[in-house]
Amino acid sequence: MSQKNVLPKRILVLGATSGIAMATTRLLAAQGASLYLVGRNAQKLEAVAGDLKTRGAAYVDICVLDLDDTTQHPKMLADAVHSLGGLDMAYIAHGVLGDQQQAEADYAVAAAILHTNFLSVVSLLTWLANFFVNQQSGILAVISSVAGDRGRKSNYVYGASKGALNVFLEGLRNRIDREGINVLTIKPGPVQTAMTAHMPKAEKFAPPQKVAEDILKAVARRKDVVYVPGIWAIIMFVIRSIPEAIFKKLNL
Ligand SMILES: NC(=O)c1ccc[n+]([C@@H]2O[C@H](COP(=O)([O-])OP(=O)(O)OC[C@H]3O[C@@H](n4cnc5c(N)ncnc54)[C@H](OP(=O)(O)O)[C@@H]3O)[C@@H](O)[C@H]2O)c1
């Protein structure tokens, strides 16, 4: 799969019931992809699988798993490869926003956010990176967030989980890009999904369909990092440029 502008065909989706993942897999299904869907809610997962079949997916299989349970990852990943008859791309989409105020008061809450958004992803990436290096091809597309670009008082625990993920992906890319593996860090701004439905002005956030289209363009172009929608590259450049002496006084 080193050829640019070609979308992969055999795809593993972690967190397949996510709003962004569902919008992306609908587009992939329409192109005849084979999909292995992993999520923790059996009912939702079956509904997503049924939808993708009607939209043209060549093959759909599911696995019900709470991805916090990293002990189950190696078996699930081996099952996925077996079921799909090989693997061209892994798309890691699961994540939690968490409750910042609770996380400020209780380390266990902060640790749970870091476990789901960072450590469980590290577990998946460790297995997948070695698998792809062994076959000398593959795409790792991982959803991070603009929140990982700079810590803010309103969501720095979530932001830290994504910031750590960004650094991990950067180092992984530096290790395995030369082996023919594409590591894509996806940084969405606010998107209209279940994760943000409670937020004020959520209806003004980016539609998942637009975000999914931009993600698949980045996959096809074998990009390293993509902000979705693209305007967030400029917004985050400005935010990162604010001197810390000023930034620490802002209410963000
Ligand atoms: N929406 C945004 O504004 C935004 C912005 C930047 C980045 N992101 C990132 O985009 C990714 C997708 O989020 P989304 O916006 O599509 O929100 P979403 O619809 O709430 O999706 C989050 C998904 O993660 C799954 N999940 C959480 N913990 C899990 C676990 N332990 N095991 C298995 N699955 C688990 C959820 O499963 P259930 O359905 O079972 O709960 C859900 O499918 C996340 O990584 C998020 O951090 C979102």
Side-chain angles (χ1 to χ4, degrees):
M1 291 309 308
S2 60
Q3 208 186 341
K4 287 202 173 188
N5 299 317
V6 176
L7 279 174
K9 283 289 176 201
R10 295 168 300 182
I11 301 160
L12 163 65
V13 186
L14 292 316
T17 58
S18 115
I20 297 176
M22 285 193 292
T24 314
T25 48
R26 280 179 186 171
L27 298 175
L28 289 165
Q31 304 211 12
S34 294
L35 298 156
Y36 192 89
L37 311 175
V38 183
R40 60 184 170 180
N41 181 319
Q43 239 182 338
K44 274 203 230 171
L45 209 51
E46 272 158 24
V48 173
D51 176 58
L52 295 175
K53 278 179 203 156
T54 63
R55 286 170 191 270
Y59 174 82
V60 184
D61 196 0
I62 61 169
C63 168
V64 179
L65 180 65
D66 185 330
L67 289 165
D68 282 351
D69 186 356
T70 55
T71 64
Q72 299 300 314
H73 288 185
K75 182 182 181 311
M76 174 273 291
L77 293 165
D79 287 350
V81 173
H82 181 73
S83 175
L84 289 170
L87 191 65
D88 303 316
M89 167 168 150
Y91 182 37
I92 303 185
H94 71 288
V96 290
L97 189 57
D99 186 311
Q100 171 67 27
Q101 284 180 343
Q102 281 183 26
E104 287 169 20
D106 183 353
Y107 163 71
V109 175
I113 297 168
L114 291 163
H115 183 82
T116 303
N117 292 354
F118 180 55
L119 290 176
S120 82
V121 182
V122 169
S123 165
L124 295 165
L125 288 172
T126 300
W127 194 99
L128 287 162
N130 292 329
F131 175 83
F132 283 151
V133 166
N134 195 41
Q135 76 172 11
Q136 291 285 294
S137 69
I139 298 169
L140 290 166
V142 186
I143 306 187
S144 179
S145 172
V146 294
D149 277 13
R150 197 146 191 192
R152 301 185 285 130
K153 72 174 190 176
S154 59
N155 75 347
Y156 65 83
V157 176
Y158 174 78
S161 70
K162 297 296 193 178
L165 181 57
N166 292 345
V167 175
F168 187 90
L169 290 168
E170 198 172 48
L172 183 63
R173 181 180 304 113
N174 187 229
R175 178 189 139 210
I176 66 173
D177 183 80
R178 66 196 69 186
E179 310 270 358
I181 321 304
N182 178 221
V183 179
L184 172 64
T185 305
I186 301 158
K187 296 184 178 181
V191 185
Q192 288 171 31
T193 65
M195 187 174 280
T196 56
H198 64 286
M199 293 182 181
K201 299 192 185 153
E203 70 287 352
K204 299 215 166 117
F205 295 170
Q209 161 107 16
K210 158 78 181 142
V211 167
E213 284 166 6
D214 289 358
I215 289 171
L216 289 183
K217 272 186 210 150
V219 168
R221 290 175 190 160
R222 305 295 188 265
K223 287 189 77 167
D224 299 320
V225 180
V226 65
Y227 286 84
V228 287
I231 183 73
W232 281 91
I234 298 165
I235 297 171
M236 293 318 294
F237 175 77
V238 172
I239 289 183
R240 281 197 314 273
S241 306
I242 300 170
E244 187 63 16
I246 297 171
F247 193 80
K248 70 180 178 184
K249 297 197 168 80
L250 301 177
N251 284 317
L252 291 167

mmCIF file of all heavy atoms in Angstrom, residues 113-141:
data_model
loop_
_atom_site.group_PDB
_atom_site.id
_atom_site.type_symbol
_atom_site.label_atom_id
_atom_site.label_comp_id
_atom_site.label_asym_id
_atom_site.label_seq_id
_atom_site.Cartn_x
_atom_site.Cartn_y
_atom_site.Cartn_z
ATOM 1 N N ILE A 113 -8.914 8.690 32.019
ATOM 2 C CA ILE A 113 -8.885 9.410 30.729
ATOM 3 C C ILE A 113 -7.566 9.117 30.005
ATOM 4 O O ILE A 113 -7.538 8.811 28.809
ATOM 5 C CB ILE A 113 -9.060 10.934 30.955
ATOM 6 C CG1 ILE A 113 -10.424 11.239 31.573
ATOM 7 C CG2 ILE A 113 -8.861 11.708 29.642
ATOM 8 C CD1 ILE A 113 -10.587 12.664 32.095
ATOM 9 N N LEU A 114 -6.467 9.188 30.756
ATOM 10 C CA LEU A 114 -5.150 8.933 30.158
ATOM 11 C C LEU A 114 -5.037 7.481 29.683
ATOM 12 O O LEU A 114 -4.422 7.206 28.646
ATOM 13 C CB LEU A 114 -4.042 9.252 31.172
ATOM 14 C CG LEU A 114 -3.913 10.754 31.489
ATOM 15 C CD1 LEU A 114 -3.120 10.978 32.768
ATOM 16 C CD2 LEU A 114 -3.260 11.499 30.326
ATOM 17 N N HIS A 115 -5.651 6.566 30.408
ATOM 18 C CA HIS A 115 -5.585 5.151 30.016
ATOM 19 C C HIS A 115 -6.304 4.919 28.686
ATOM 20 O O HIS A 115 -5.760 4.305 27.768
ATOM 21 C CB HIS A 115 -6.178 4.252 31.106
ATOM 22 C CG HIS A 115 -6.066 2.800 30.764
ATOM 23 N ND1 HIS A 115 -4.917 2.076 30.979
ATOM 24 C CD2 HIS A 115 -6.937 1.955 30.162
ATOM 25 C CE1 HIS A 115 -5.094 0.846 30.527
ATOM 26 N NE2 HIS A 115 -6.316 0.745 30.034
ATOM 27 N N THR A 116 -7.552 5.425 28.589
ATOM 28 C CA THR A 116 -8.327 5.193 27.357
ATOM 29 C C THR A 116 -7.699 5.914 26.159
ATOM 30 O O THR A 116 -7.519 5.320 25.092
ATOM 31 C CB THR A 116 -9.785 5.687 27.546
ATOM 32 O OG1 THR A 116 -10.354 5.017 28.655
ATOM 33 C CG2 THR A 116 -10.623 5.424 26.297
ATOM 34 N N ASN A 117 -7.368 7.184 26.346
ATOM 35 C CA ASN A 117 -6.945 7.994 25.192
ATOM 36 C C ASN A 117 -5.482 7.813 24.825
ATOM 37 O O ASN A 117 -5.102 8.069 23.682
ATOM 38 C CB ASN A 117 -7.172 9.482 25.480
ATOM 39 C CG ASN A 117 -8.640 9.838 25.574
ATOM 40 O OD1 ASN A 117 -9.511 9.002 25.312
ATOM 41 N ND2 ASN A 117 -8.922 11.061 25.958
ATOM 42 N N PHE A 118 -4.660 7.410 25.794
ATOM 43 C CA PHE A 118 -3.228 7.285 25.500
ATOM 44 C C PHE A 118 -2.722 5.843 25.645
ATOM 45 O O PHE A 118 -2.286 5.234 24.669
ATOM 46 C CB PHE A 118 -2.425 8.252 26.383
ATOM 47 C CG PHE A 118 -0.944 8.180 26.130
ATOM 48 C CD1 PHE A 118 -0.428 8.360 24.851
ATOM 49 C CD2 PHE A 118 -0.054 7.914 27.158
ATOM 50 C CE1 PHE A 118 0.947 8.277 24.602
ATOM 51 C CE2 PHE A 118 1.315 7.830 26.914
ATOM 52 C CZ PHE A 118 1.812 8.007 25.645
ATOM 53 N N LEU A 119 -2.815 5.291 26.846
ATOM 54 C CA LEU A 119 -2.175 3.983 27.069
ATOM 55 C C LEU A 119 -2.806 2.869 26.242
ATOM 56 O O LEU A 119 -2.100 2.010 25.705
ATOM 57 C CB LEU A 119 -2.187 3.628 28.559
ATOM 58 C CG LEU A 119 -1.247 4.494 29.408
ATOM 59 C CD1 LEU A 119 -1.385 4.149 30.882
ATOM 60 C CD2 LEU A 119 0.196 4.342 28.965
ATOM 61 N N SER A 120 -4.136 2.861 26.115
ATOM 62 C CA SER A 120 -4.747 1.791 25.315
ATOM 63 C C SER A 120 -4.333 1.928 23.851
ATOM 64 O O SER A 120 -4.161 0.935 23.145
ATOM 65 C CB SER A 120 -6.278 1.800 25.453
ATOM 66 O OG SER A 120 -6.878 2.742 24.605
ATOM 67 N N VAL A 121 -4.127 3.162 23.406
ATOM 68 C CA VAL A 121 -3.698 3.389 22.015
ATOM 69 C C VAL A 121 -2.243 2.955 21.840
ATOM 70 O O VAL A 121 -1.872 2.362 20.817
ATOM 71 C CB VAL A 121 -3.913 4.876 21.617
ATOM 72 C CG1 VAL A 121 -3.513 5.104 20.167
ATOM 73 C CG2 VAL A 121 -5.361 5.285 21.843
ATOM 74 N N VAL A 122 -1.415 3.228 22.840
ATOM 75 C CA VAL A 122 -0.019 2.771 22.796
ATOM 76 C C VAL A 122 0.032 1.246 22.684
ATOM 77 O O VAL A 122 0.816 0.688 21.915
ATOM 78 C CB VAL A 122 0.754 3.262 24.045
ATOM 79 C CG1 VAL A 122 2.121 2.574 24.149
ATOM 80 C CG2 VAL A 122 0.925 4.774 24.005
ATOM 81 N N SER A 123 -0.831 0.575 23.434
ATOM 82 C CA SER A 123 -0.876 -0.887 23.374
ATOM 83 C C SER A 123 -1.212 -1.362 21.954
ATOM 84 O O SER A 123 -0.539 -2.236 21.396
ATOM 85 C CB SER A 123 -1.918 -1.403 24.382
ATOM 86 O OG SER A 123 -2.238 -2.745 24.119
ATOM 87 N N LEU A 124 -2.229 -0.757 21.359
ATOM 88 C CA LEU A 124 -2.628 -1.137 19.992
ATOM 89 C C LEU A 124 -1.509 -0.839 18.996
ATOM 90 O O LEU A 124 -1.175 -1.659 18.135
ATOM 91 C CB LEU A 124 -3.888 -0.361 19.581
ATOM 92 C CG LEU A 124 -5.156 -0.676 20.379
ATOM 93 C CD1 LEU A 124 -6.225 0.390 20.131
ATOM 94 C CD2 LEU A 124 -5.694 -2.059 20.020
ATOM 95 N N LEU A 125 -0.917 0.357 19.123
ATOM 96 C CA LEU A 125 0.108 0.781 18.167
ATOM 97 C C LEU A 125 1.369 -0.074 18.261
ATOM 98 O O LEU A 125 2.048 -0.296 17.258
ATOM 99 C CB LEU A 125 0.457 2.258 18.389
ATOM 100 C CG LEU A 125 -0.615 3.261 17.944
ATOM 101 C CD1 LEU A 125 -0.245 4.666 18.397
ATOM 102 C CD2 LEU A 125 -0.803 3.233 16.420
ATOM 103 N N THR A 126 1.673 -0.554 19.438
ATOM 104 C CA THR A 126 2.873 -1.375 19.608
ATOM 105 C C THR A 126 2.734 -2.657 18.786
ATOM 106 O O THR A 126 3.625 -3.026 18.009
ATOM 107 C CB THR A 126 3.090 -1.681 21.106
ATOM 108 O OG1 THR A 126 3.236 -0.433 21.786
ATOM 109 C CG2 THR A 126 4.320 -2.542 21.327
ATOM 110 N N TRP A 127 1.591 -3.317 18.913
ATOM 111 C CA TRP A 127 1.354 -4.557 18.159
ATOM 112 C C TRP A 127 1.274 -4.253 16.657
ATOM 113 O O TRP A 127 1.907 -4.922 15.834
ATOM 114 C CB TRP A 127 0.062 -5.200 18.644
ATOM 115 C CG TRP A 127 -0.157 -6.623 18.206
ATOM 116 C CD1 TRP A 127 0.077 -7.744 18.930
ATOM 117 C CD2 TRP A 127 -0.680 -7.064 16.931
ATOM 118 N NE1 TRP A 127 -0.255 -8.864 18.203
ATOM 119 C CE2 TRP A 127 -0.716 -8.479 16.968
ATOM 120 C CE3 TRP A 127 -1.101 -6.413 15.769
ATOM 121 C CZ2 TRP A 127 -1.172 -9.242 15.897
ATOM 122 C CZ3 TRP A 127 -1.544 -7.180 14.683
ATOM 123 C CH2 TRP A 127 -1.572 -8.577 14.760
ATOM 124 N N LEU A 128 0.480 -3.235 16.317
ATOM 125 C CA LEU A 128 0.227 -2.933 14.900
ATOM 126 C C LEU A 128 1.495 -2.470 14.179
ATOM 127 O O LEU A 128 1.738 -2.847 13.031
ATOM 128 C CB LEU A 128 -0.862 -1.855 14.789
ATOM 129 C CG LEU A 128 -2.282 -2.348 15.103
ATOM 130 C CD1 LEU A 128 -3.201 -1.165 15.397
ATOM 131 C CD2 LEU A 128 -2.829 -3.179 13.942
ATOM 132 N N ALA A 129 2.301 -1.639 14.842
ATOM 133 C CA ALA A 129 3.527 -1.140 14.205
ATOM 134 C C ALA A 129 4.446 -2.317 13.881
ATOM 135 O O ALA A 129 4.998 -2.405 12.771
ATOM 136 C CB ALA A 129 4.237 -0.147 15.127
ATOM 137 N N ASN A 130 4.588 -3.246 14.812
ATOM 138 C CA ASN A 130 5.477 -4.388 14.565
ATOM 139 C C ASN A 130 4.916 -5.296 13.470
ATOM 140 O O ASN A 130 5.662 -5.818 12.637
ATOM 141 C CB ASN A 130 5.719 -5.160 15.867
ATOM 142 C CG ASN A 130 6.547 -4.327 16.836
ATOM 143 O OD1 ASN A 130 7.375 -3.522 16.409
ATOM 144 N ND2 ASN A 130 6.314 -4.499 18.124
ATOM 145 N N PHE A 131 3.585 -5.440 13.448
ATOM 146 C CA PHE A 131 2.955 -6.236 12.380
ATOM 147 C C PHE A 131 3.234 -5.596 11.004
ATOM 148 O O PHE A 131 3.630 -6.283 10.055
ATOM 149 C CB PHE A 131 1.445 -6.348 12.626
ATOM 150 C CG PHE A 131 0.713 -7.034 11.514
ATOM 151 C CD1 PHE A 131 0.657 -8.420 11.458
ATOM 152 C CD2 PHE A 131 0.098 -6.297 10.504
ATOM 153 C CE1 PHE A 131 -0.001 -9.061 10.410
ATOM 154 C CE2 PHE A 131 -0.557 -6.932 9.452
ATOM 155 C CZ PHE A 131 -0.612 -8.312 9.407
ATOM 156 N N PHE A 132 3.025 -4.291 10.919
ATOM 157 C CA PHE A 132 3.217 -3.604 9.626
ATOM 158 C C PHE A 132 4.688 -3.587 9.208
ATOM 159 O O PHE A 132 5.014 -3.718 8.026
ATOM 160 C CB PHE A 132 2.651 -2.184 9.678
ATOM 161 C CG PHE A 132 1.139 -2.109 9.561
ATOM 162 C CD1 PHE A 132 0.426 -1.061 10.165
ATOM 163 C CD2 PHE A 132 0.410 -3.039 8.837
ATOM 164 C CE1 PHE A 132 -0.960 -0.978 10.050
ATOM 165 C CE2 PHE A 132 -0.975 -2.966 8.714
ATOM 166 C CZ PHE A 132 -1.660 -1.927 9.322
ATOM 167 N N VAL A 133 5.589 -3.410 10.172
ATOM 168 C CA VAL A 133 7.022 -3.443 9.842
ATOM 169 C C VAL A 133 7.365 -4.816 9.262
ATOM 170 O O VAL A 133 8.070 -4.927 8.255
ATOM 171 C CB VAL A 133 7.886 -3.122 11.087
ATOM 172 C CG1 VAL A 133 9.349 -3.495 10.839
ATOM 173 C CG2 VAL A 133 7.765 -1.645 11.455
ATOM 174 N N ASN A 134 6.819 -5.848 9.865
ATOM 175 C CA ASN A 134 7.087 -7.209 9.403
ATOM 176 C C ASN A 134 6.612 -7.421 7.966
ATOM 177 O O ASN A 134 7.288 -8.072 7.168
ATOM 178 C CB ASN A 134 6.406 -8.197 10.360
ATOM 179 C CG ASN A 134 6.913 -9.591 10.172
ATOM 180 O OD1 ASN A 134 8.118 -9.787 9.985
ATOM 181 N ND2 ASN A 134 6.019 -10.557 10.185
ATOM 182 N N GLN A 135 5.450 -6.831 7.623
ATOM 183 C CA GLN A 135 4.960 -7.016 6.238
ATOM 184 C C GLN A 135 5.443 -5.892 5.313
ATOM 185 O O GLN A 135 5.140 -5.877 4.133
ATOM 186 C CB GLN A 135 3.438 -7.158 6.196
ATOM 187 C CG GLN A 135 2.632 -5.894 6.378
ATOM 188 C CD GLN A 135 1.125 -6.117 6.114
ATOM 189 O OE1 GLN A 135 0.641 -7.228 5.993
ATOM 190 N NE2 GLN A 135 0.383 -5.032 6.023
ATOM 191 N N GLN A 136 6.198 -4.926 5.875
ATOM 192 C CA GLN A 136 6.806 -3.842 5.093
ATOM 193 C C GLN A 136 5.788 -2.946 4.392
ATOM 194 O O GLN A 136 6.072 -2.354 3.359
ATOM 195 C CB GLN A 136 7.796 -4.408 4.059
ATOM 196 C CG GLN A 136 9.042 -5.011 4.699
ATOM 197 C CD GLN A 136 10.020 -3.961 5.219
ATOM 198 O OE1 GLN A 136 10.587 -3.216 4.454
ATOM 199 N NE2 GLN A 136 10.162 -3.873 6.535
ATOM 200 N N SER A 137 4.573 -2.848 4.956
ATOM 201 C CA SER A 137 3.586 -1.902 4.433
ATOM 202 C C SER A 137 2.465 -1.757 5.452
ATOM 203 O O SER A 137 2.287 -2.621 6.316
ATOM 204 C CB SER A 137 3.006 -2.390 3.095
ATOM 205 O OG SER A 137 2.197 -3.526 3.310
ATOM 206 N N GLY A 138 1.730 -0.655 5.319
ATOM 207 C CA GLY A 138 0.579 -0.455 6.199
ATOM 208 C C GLY A 138 0.380 1.018 6.525
ATOM 209 O O GLY A 138 1.292 1.834 6.378
ATOM 210 N N ILE A 139 -0.827 1.321 6.954
ATOM 211 C CA ILE A 139 -1.172 2.693 7.330
ATOM 212 C C ILE A 139 -1.741 2.678 8.740
ATOM 213 O O ILE A 139 -2.653 1.908 9.048
ATOM 214 C CB ILE A 139 -2.224 3.280 6.367
ATOM 215 C CG1 ILE A 139 -1.676 3.349 4.934
ATOM 216 C CG2 ILE A 139 -2.676 4.669 6.837
ATOM 217 C CD1 ILE A 139 -2.731 3.676 3.889
ATOM 218 N N LEU A 140 -1.197 3.550 9.594
ATOM 219 C CA LEU A 140 -1.741 3.753 10.935
ATOM 220 C C LEU A 140 -2.343 5.152 10.956
ATOM 221 O O LEU A 140 -1.608 6.145 10.882
ATOM 222 C CB LEU A 140 -0.617 3.646 11.980
ATOM 223 C CG LEU A 140 -0.031 2.251 12.193
ATOM 224 C CD1 LEU A 140 1.274 2.326 12.978
ATOM 225 C CD2 LEU A 140 -1.038 1.383 12.940
ATOM 226 N N ALA A 141 -3.654 5.234 11.016
ATOM 227 C CA ALA A 141 -4.334 6.537 11.048
ATOM 228 C C ALA A 141 -4.968 6.683 12.430
ATOM 229 O O ALA A 141 -5.820 5.876 12.813
ATOM 230 C CB ALA A 141 -5.394 6.601 9.957
#
